[in-house]
Amino acid sequence: FIKDNLGLKFGDFFISSKGTGRFAFYIENQDYRIFISKSKINSEIPQVRVEIPAKTIFAIGIHKALILLQRFINKILGVAYIRKISRLDLATDVWGIQYTSLDLYRFQTLMSQTSYMRFNRFTGIQFGRGAKVFRIYDKTHKISISPGEAYIKEKWKINNYDESKNYPVFRHEIQFRREEIKKYIPVNVVDEVDFVLRNISAFWVRALKFVEFVDYLLLKSLKGLKVFY
């Protein structure tokens, strides 16, 4: 990487000596990862793709992150452009629950399943692949092996999380890729970023329909349901 301010007055960037995948150029700073292609207008490959890391959103909020990003893109492009969503990650963290390997049989879904264990401890499960993926995993365990993600604990503490009690915190995360996102955006929408932000709850509703957690024992006691293991 080469460090340079690019003459844009947006601080220093690290510039890769080579691109990545379909993108010829790659630059990054502490707030954004920016991929630039040589594609033409209306190509399936975006001319500029920007990733906003979760840490940036946590620090300044999604709206301010987008305002600063828009100023930067306006500076480097200098022309009108259309904003489209190529990937959307939504997540919520829940503490006070403890999933176990037995819970694997309580998830009802038509999506493929992959579970993860570490030393006989359930650490996570993934549903689906490709265009839509739903994950549930032990975020406290993830932080223990990736200390750089520990900043999220400050948000937990605001919501009365007591770190001294070592409660596990499970993250519930949905990832939509472009192929899936397009199904939920009307064809007449011009600014997809604005549309998605105004309809985040609707994307959550769709995500929660992919997977359902069913407590068979509770259903059995309430409805006399015959359950066979």
Side-chain angles (χ1 to χ4, degrees), residues 22-222:
R22 301 179 298 173
F23 296 88
F25 308 100
Y26 172 69
I27 62 177
E28 68 175 31
N29 63 9
Q30 63 180 1
D31 298 318
Y32 305 101
R33 293 188 285 266
I34 302 170
F35 305 79
I36 304 172
S37 75
K38 295 181 178 181
S39 64
K40 303 295 183 181
I41 296 177
N42 296 324
S43 169
E44 291 186 1
I45 303 174
Q47 293 174 301
V48 179
R49 189 185 84 189
V50 181
E51 295 179 359
I52 306 178
K55 191 172 184 178
T56 299
I57 296 174
F58 173 80
I60 62 177
I62 184 62
H63 294 287
K64 185 174 181 179
L66 286 171
I67 290 172
L68 295 176
L69 175 61
Q70 187 166 328
R71 291 176 184 170
F72 173 75
I73 297 299
N74 288 341
K75 189 80 171 181
I76 63 174
L77 290 183
V79 296
Y81 57 90
I82 297 174
R83 300 193 299 179
K84 295 185 177 181
I85 300 286
S86 59
R87 174 173 154 179
L88 174 66
D89 292 359
L90 301 174
T92 186
D93 297 331
V94 181
W95 64 278
I97 61 172
Q98 175 66 67
Y99 289 108
T100 71
S101 58
L102 293 178
D103 290 320
L104 300 179
Y105 305 102
R106 298 187 171 100
F107 289 106
Q108 301 299 296
T109 181
L110 296 177
M111 304 169 76
S112 61
Q113 299 183 35
T114 304
S115 59
Y116 301 93
M117 303 287 292
R118 182 174 176 81
F119 304 124
N120 295 320
R121 176 187 176 187
F122 175 82
T123 57
I125 186 170
Q126 174 175 307
F127 303 94
R129 61 173 64 90
K132 58 183 179 184
V133 178
F134 194 102
R135 300 184 182 93
I136 299 173
Y137 59 93
D138 186 341
K139 188 63 176 179
T140 43
H141 169 70
K142 180 72 182 303
I143 291 173
S144 71
I145 59 178
S146 302
E149 299 183 20
Y151 64 87
I152 195 62
K153 288 184 177 181
E154 297 307 313
K155 176 73 74 173
W156 298 349
K157 291 175 183 177
I158 293 174
N159 290 279
N160 300 317
Y161 176 71
D162 188 345
E163 189 174 2
S164 66
K165 294 183 179 180
N166 294 317
Y167 287 131
V169 176
F170 276 85
R171 171 156 293 187
H172 301 67
E173 176 181 280
I174 182 69
Q175 179 187 100
F176 293 103
R177 293 189 180 275
R178 179 71 184 166
E179 179 184 346
E180 187 71 17
I181 293 171
K182 289 192 298 184
K183 298 177 182 179
Y184 313 131
I185 299 180
V187 294
N188 62 338
V189 168
V190 176
D191 189 334
E192 293 184 359
V193 174
D194 178 67
F195 176 85
V196 168
L197 288 178
R198 287 188 290 105
N199 293 276
I200 285 293
S201 59
F203 279 87
W204 263 120
V205 169
R206 291 185 182 278
L208 295 175
K209 290 181 179 179
F210 298 153
V211 181
E212 182 180 4
F213 184 82
V214 180
D215 189 331
Y216 286 115
L217 295 179
L218 178 60
L219 288 176
K220 182 180 180 180
S221 64
L222 294 178

Side-chain angles (χ1 to χ4, degrees), residues 1-6 12-17 27-28:
F1 284 91
I2 299 173
K3 186 178 181 180
D4 192 86
N5 63 16
L6 302 177
D12 289 328
F13 287 84
F14 291 94
I15 308 166
S16 174
S17 59
I27 62 177
E28 68 175 31

